[in-house]
Structures are given as C-alpha cells and as structure tokens.
Amino acid sequence: MKVGLFVPCYVDQFYPQAGIATLELLEKLGVEVEFPERQTCCGQPMANSGFSHLTGDCDELFTESFAGYDYVVAPSGSCVLHLKEHLHSKKNPSAAEDLRGRIYELVEFLTDILQIKSLKARFPHKVGVHQSCHGLRGLHLSQMSELVAPGFSKPEYLLNFVEGIELISLNRKDECCGFGGTFCVAEEAVSSKMGKDRVSDHVQNGAEYITGADLSCLMHMEGILKRQKSGVKVLHIAEILNAGE
Amino acid sequence: MVKEETQHKGLTEHSGLADIFNRDEQRVNWHDETLWFVRSKRDKAAHSLPEWELLRETASQIKHNVLSDLDTYLQQFEEQALINGVTVHWAADAREHNQIVHSILKKHEINRMVKSKSMLTEECHLNEYLKEHGVEVIDTDLGERIVQLAEEPPSHIVLPCIHKKKEEIGELFHTHLGTAAGESDPQVLTEAARQHLRESFLTRRLALTGVNFAVAETGEFVVCTNEGNADMGSHLADVHIASMGIEKIIPRRKDLGFFLRLLARSATGQPITTYSSHFRKPRAGQEMHIILVDNGRTVQLGREDFRNSLKCIRCGACMNTCPVYRRSGGHSYHNAIAGPIGSILAPNLDMKAYADLPFASTLCGSCSNVCPVKIDIHDQLYKWRQVLVKEGHVSPVKAMGMKAMAFTFAMPRFFAFAGKAGRVVMKYLPFVVSNKLNPWYKEREMPKPPKESFREWYKRERR
Amino acid sequence: MSSREKILAAVRANKPDLQPLPDVIIPVREEGLIEEYRRVAEGIGAKVYEVGGIAEVKELLAASFEPSQRIVSPLEDFADMAEGIEAGIDPHSFADVELAIVRAEIGVSENSALWVPEGNVSQRVIPFICQHLAILINRERIVPTLQQAYSLIGEINYGYGVFIAGPSKTADIEQSLVLGAHGPRSLRVFIVG
C-alpha cells in the first residue's frame, strides 16, 4: 500500500510537527508514505468564499500529484471533505473522480482502512477533543449530536489506545469553534466569541490539551488561548497518537 | 442607539450588526444560553422517538412530491376550498397580497383587526402597509405584541422577542399597558397581556391568521399555536383571512401525522403545540378567505440548487442550533426570516440586498441536521456564495485577493519558495494577513512561524 | 393574465420532475398508552384523572368550581351542573364562561393531544374562551401516535376540528413558561372507563 501524504498549505507552514507526526505514525504502522512535493492547497479557501471557479489550477495540481497513489491521507478533515466533494479535473476527469474516493482524513484512514486495534503511545494528560464540523458532519468521524442514531467517535476510539490519557467531557460536545475560513475575519465579532466559548468549555472542564483532527480549528483556539495567556495547549491528534514515553 | 448606528454605511450588513450585538458580552451569553436551552429541549424530544430520522426522511419526501406537483395540488386545494365555502385569492407578490387584505377590510368597512403569527405577513410588510391605509393591526401572539409595542421586527420566527429581557418587556408594558413600574415577573406581564388582548379579541371583527399546513385533498388548513390566539381571533371575528405561501400545501390529511409530529418537537421540544386547529369551512354566518401568495416562491422553485428551501415548515430549529445566530441575534440578518434558513431564502428575493447573508455562517452543518424536512441548508449556503460571486455581489478587493491566492497555489515552486517562514500563507490566507489591523488580532494571536516548513523538513530528512 | 394563471404557469415551468409520495410504515408501540398519556399530559401542565364514570367527573369538578360560576357543556350528562351551548348565537356571549366541559373523540398518548371536532363543542370558541377546560375521553379511544389518530379521523367531513394538548401557554418572555396565555388557564383530562 502506497500512501500519498497531503499536508495542507497552512499545516505545511505553521504546524510542520503535525505533518511529521502523521508521517511517522503511518510509517510505524507499516505504511509506505510519500510526500509529493508539487502539492500546494486543496482549493477550499477560495471555494468557501464563493470563488470555486478559481480552484481549477489547484485541482489539476492535486490530481497530478496524487493520481498514482493507492490512498491520499491528510491531517485535516476540512481539506479532505472539500476534495472528496469538489475535486475535478478537466485534463484528467476520471483520475480526479477516482481520486475523490481514495482521499482520507488521518483518523478515518486509521480506523476504516488500516482498522487498527491497538497503538503504542503514551500521553498522561487531560485532553479535550474538539469535533471539527467538517470532520464531524461531513466525514462522520463521530456521531452528530443532532441525530437520533447510535453514538460513536473515531477520534476517541483511537485516543483510548493511548496510555495514561484522560479524555474530559464537554458541556457542548460538538459546537463549532467559529473559525470558518474567511469567516474568522469577515465576521470577527461572532467568530472570536464562538472561539472563546469553545475554549472556555474545554478549560472549565479541566483540559490541559485540546486536540482534534483539524488544525484550522485548533489554530483558532490556540490564538484565543495565547491571547488569554492560558497554559492550555493545542495538539493535532497525530501528535498524541505518535507520542512516546 | 442601535437603530441610528445601523443607518451608517457598512452597518447594514450582518457582520456590522453582529459586531454591535457583541459589544455587550454578557447579553450575548444570555442570548446564546437561552437558545441553546431550546436546542437542548429539541434534542430531548427528538431522542424520545426512535423513529425520528424516518419521520424526517418521510416528511422531506412528501415535500419533494409537493414541489414536483405543486400546480395540481394548488388547483385541488382551491377546488376543495371553494366547495367548503371559502373564498380563494391568488397574490403574485407582497403588494398584491396586501391589497387583497385591504380590499376585504374596505368591503366590510373595518379599520381595526387582530392578527395571529404569520411570517408571511412579516415578509410582505403587511402591518406597515395597513397602517399607511389607516388600519390598526394588533398582533396577538404575546411575543409579536411585545415587538410590535417596541416598534421592532421579530428576531426569531417562533420566539419573536427572544432578544428582549423581561425587564425591558416590563418597561414596555408599564408604558403601554399600565403595569406597575419595575414589574418584570413573566407571570404578571403575561396576565396583563391576556387582559389587554382579550379586549381586542372581543371587539375586532376581522382576524388574520397564518397557515402552517394546507391540505390539497380536503381544502382545510391547519394553524398551530400554544397561546390559542389564532382561535380566539378567528372564532370571534365576522371575517377570517388566512394568508399562506403556496409551498404550504401538503397532499393528504393523513400527511399531517408526519408534520405535526415533527413541527413542535423541532421548534421548542414540545410534543405538539397546545392547539393544532383544522379550519375547513367558515362557521355559520362567517366569511373565510384564503390568500395564496407566490412572492418569489416560483422563482426559487426554478433554482434547482435552492428549491429544497421551499420545504421549510418554519420551525426555527436551524436558528436555535446555529452558533452564529445565537451570538449575533435575529436582527443582524436584516430580513423577516433570520438565521440559516433566512440566509438561503433572502437572496432569492434580492441578491444585492442580502448578498452578505450566505457568508454569515461557518458552514458547520448543524442546521441541516436539525431540519425536520432535511433541507441541505449549509450546502445551499455554499452554493449561494458561488452564485453571488459570479453575479458580482462581492467586493472587488476580495475578488483580487482570491485571484492572487489562486495564482500562488497554482505555482508549486513559487509557493515553496515564498512559503519559507510562512510568508505565502500570511500573505494570502485572509485570516493570517500579517497586519495588526487584521481583525484576527483583535482577540487572537497568530501561531508562531516555525523554523522550517514541513516540506523543508521533508527535503532535509527524507530525500 | 390573472395572478392565478401567472402563478400556476410559473409553477409548471419551474417544478422538478415528478417524485412519488413515500410509502412507509412507522413502527408503533401499543403498550402503556394510558401511563404515557398521563406522563406527557402532566408534563405540559394538564391534570389527568382516571375515572369510572360521569358521576366521578362531576364530583371532582364540583370540588373546584362554585355553582355561581358560569359553567357550560354541550353534554346532556352535565345538564344538572352546566348550561347547554346553543349553536348559532353570538360567540361573544361566552366571554364570561368559567368552565367548559366537552368530550374528545380521540386521545394521543405520544403528545397527550385530544381531538375535538366542531360537533363536540357546538361553538368553536368554547374550548378557547373559557377560563378552565375539562375534556372527557374514553379510555379505549387513546391511540399511540398522531398517525393512528388521523387513521381514525379518516375522511370525516368536519367544518373545524382541533387537537388540544394542555392548557393555553406561552414562553415568549425569556422562555419562562406561563400557563393561561389567551385560552384556558387549566386543562383537566378525564379518562373514562
């Protein structure tokens, strides 16, 4: 099995350690991983702003970069959802369409494709899980609180393999953090307030770390935590699943 | 104060109005918690029915059938209503609707009337129209009466005065209904409204109600209230007018079994509203009118991506769950219908005036999940964004930035080169523009750019 | 072209391809209907009494209402304690009714709603204008959900009918529940048999 690692633009430039943890974790699990270097962005920042007609070049680049792999894995639910729903190619339409079915967010790749039943990791801390909306309601990484259906959580299933970890519970288990791409500046007041409220739910319930499968939300919450000079930190789930002794 | 400020340029958009709303954080917390409480009640009610998701799916399919055969159903409904002794009117737009109401008033020489809750009449601005023509309208739903006294529009389709604190309502009642100064007990205030409105019910000869569902098979229409105001008004009046959007039709009486099971549970978490009144014929000696209103609905029907919005049964669940609505208030949507559903309905009426609304969302998707008729609300918000950009309703500055970003992302080498120490992302991703004036910095810090990007690490370590 | 024709033409031009009506069977629970009915009704502010017969209803009502108060009922059985309701007279003349006693045709356990068609009240305004309302329902007429209720209603040609669940209420002021908005301040449900 050969996996193409997609490291979204902002993860590449701000959170390289999450990309590294993803790579190392997959390798630990016996997967052959490559990082195609011509990759840039999934196109979501433009599309969600209403400019999906400008994403053509991004799509072509993505299709070219990843068409040869069995799977594409990325440490970001939001980018993965966008690609699954919107990746198109004029040059190579069938390759893009085929690729849409082989793109996975890291967590779902571990639970659904690798179907891992154990993990060697240790992280003796109190951790709050942030359910990012696109991972939750788009990729169904966990059951959505609105639906009348059996509960499950793929991120928590994985985190429960980690030795010493204590998952805290939240007052509102899957409310949005308010990041929303350009929303975070266009609607600064509401976005910041949503972020503050989400962070305070974790802090009040005793989290030392906030984790999740989407760094954009974590970046938003980190921005608020830092401004509040809080000691609570954010970590991508790959970093916890890859944490050693 | 808010009213004056909104006159200024830039403060007619959702973001500006939301900014004003957020100046009082305690109040935002209160508003958020109050509506979250309603969402929680909805969850509890939904989770008490194992068949909930099946009900939603079925109701959605029934509505789909309605939209696909709406002309037949409308004619069937009209035919039945006429047999029942009801007068049926057709209004192409808001203006025609208002004129029809006014003509009925004139015919009976009536200049004072009561009205129970009808979002359609809000959409048509009926009260303003009638006021200009010398007709006094008293809204009889308590929440609507409160906002009417405050000279404000409702901020929520089910809970019209959810933005008002009881102390403010106490003050209004002190001024208008003569309650004691400083009285803010909901029990006491409700009693005062009961006495005041009972007098209105007993003296007005014409009552207008909305319609929740209209049954094609029988020509009857159903009105749901908790207070009993629609019934108090219509059963005492000589003339009953029921105004409805053409999408309110359902095929058969038995279909009510699905919709009434979903409506109140989704709206407030009640198992059903106190009253679900089925009006089929006027009572002896009474005149009954139904006004079927289009006002843009047939246009929306023709927009393939957006026609599902016409399935809406006006429960308000999408507002209660919306993290943006809860923290910006209904008035920030500057439209009769606020929240997520308002944001996909309003651009159909006027793209330019409501171009901001589809962007007032994080696309979190909670709205689509609570919707009892499974409208793909958040997907429609995304699709409206594409339409609005194509139609030129987005600022040229933003369009330039997006083009520059697309250009950069299309050039892997340039991206890799410029990306050292986060420069590209800082420059083009709007949330991280490296500038202290950027709204990001108001309440948030930026992540510290690392020494090397992932791709630099990868080059060094793995190649 | 009239607005009617314009609207119908626009619908025809813009509607999607015909989609059939769904055909589904919703699972039903048949046990514990009376218990469920009571729990739900009490949860929304109604008082529920299980009684053997009319005499018991009268006894319970007599304990709460004075003979000097205006009590109305279209039911023959209550002629000794309530005045009848004449159809066709001015509905405003019922403005001072303290208690109305009527019979429902169907009860629904999932939401405690009671189906009261026009024929059961003589005047549509009765269950709304009274200060207090008492409704009788036969035990065997309580069904699990609204779907069974509509099956029973079938194609009956009523002029007006209403499902009533609990007393009139509002929570418009800060979501504080207040009973007695415009209609009855209380609802007593008597499950008979």
Side-chain angles (χ1 to χ4, degrees), chain B residues 65 68 71 78 96 140 143 166 191 194 220 226-227 231 236 253 261 265 274 276 278 280-281 298, chain C residues 3-4 12 14-15 19 124 147 150 154 157-161 165 168-169 172 174 182-183 185:
Chain B
N65 166 266
S68 74
D71 51 328
E78 179 189 43
E96 191 175 3
T140 57
K166 59 186 185 202
E191 181 62 28
R194 178 184 171 99
E220 73 198 289
N226 281 321
E227 299 180 7
D231 288 275
L236 289 169
R253 185 185 273 165
R261 294 189 76 187
R265 288 186 173 100
T274 305
S276 309
H278 300 49
R280 190 168 187 196
K281 299 172 185 169
T298 52
Chain C
S3 290
R4 180 182 186 277
R12 276 180 214 119
N14 292 337
K15 67 181 182 177
Q19 167 109 354
R124 294 180 186 182
Q147 266 132 359
Y150 279 107
N157 186 1
Y158 49 76
Y160 169 84
S168 160
K169 62 168 121 7
D172 274 347
E174 287 199 10
H182 301 300
R185 300 169 188 275

Side-chain angles (χ1 to χ4, degrees), chain A residues 5 7 9-17 19-20 23-24 27 33-41 45-55 57-58 61 82 85-86 133-134 137 144-149 171-176 178-194 196-198 216 219-220 222-224 226-227 229, chain B residues 14-15 18-19 22 25 28-29 32-33 36 39 42-43 46-47 49-50 52-53 56 321 323-324 326-328 359-366 369-370 382 385-386 389-390 394 398-399 402-403 405-406 409-412 415 419 422-426 429-432 438-450 452-455 457-459 462-463:
Chain A
L5 177 64
V7 177
C9 52
Y10 70 99
V11 179
D12 174 48
Q13 301 199 2
F14 284 116
Y15 296 96
Q17 67 279 15
I20 295 166
L23 179 74
E24 289 180 351
E27 286 176 344
V33 188
E34 276 179 18
F35 175 79
E37 289 187 46
R38 280 171 57 78
Q39 61 176 288
T40 57
C41 169
M46 282 93 81
N48 278 7
S49 303
F51 293 81
S52 61
H53 59 287
L54 297 181
T55 60
D57 291 342
C58 272
L61 207 49
H82 177 77
E85 290 184 340
H86 300 291
C133 302
H134 290 173
R137 298 191 186 85
M144 303 159 264
S145 63
E146 300 92 359
L147 298 190
V148 178
N171 301 341
R172 299 185 189 180
K173 65 176 185 175
D174 55 14
E175 178 142 288
C176 178
F179 173 67
T182 49
F183 180 87
C184 73
V185 286
E187 289 268 2
E188 183 278 325
V190 179
S191 172
S192 295
K193 180 61 182 151
M194 285 167 71
K196 286 199 282 185
D197 289 354
R198 203 80 306 275
S216 55
M219 175 172 72
H220 187 222
E222 182 182 46
I224 284 164
K226 279 189 177 167
R227 176 61 58 92
K229 309 215 181 305
Chain B
H14 183 274
S15 56
D19 190 43
N22 272 271
E25 190 168 0
V28 177
N29 290 342
D32 169 63
E33 287 290 348
W36 181 259
R39 150 84 204 263
R42 172 260 169 218
D43 286 355
H47 284 271
L49 291 188
W52 183 254
E53 300 301 334
R56 287 177 70 221
T321 200
V324 177
R326 278 188 263 111
R327 293 177 184 81
S328 64
F359 294 91
S361 163
T362 60
L363 306 180
C364 82
S366 187
N369 276 352
V370 296
Y382 174 89
R385 293 180 184 186
Q386 315 306 321
V389 166
K390 279 201 184 118
V394 169
K398 192 174 176 185
M402 285 293 159
K403 276 185 193 147
M405 180 158 70
F409 287 140
M411 311 260 287
F415 175 79
R423 282 202 302 273
V424 164
V425 172
M426 281 192 157
L429 288 193
F431 43 93
V432 290
N438 184 329
W440 174 277
Y441 285 97
K442 211 170 153 193
E443 306 222 37
R444 298 163 285 211
E445 298 292 337
M446 266 309 298
K448 237 200 243 148
E452 57 182 2
S453 66
F454 176 82
R455 67 182 66 226
W457 174 88
Y458 189 82
K459 234 178 210 169
R462 297 298 167 103
R463 245 184 30 188

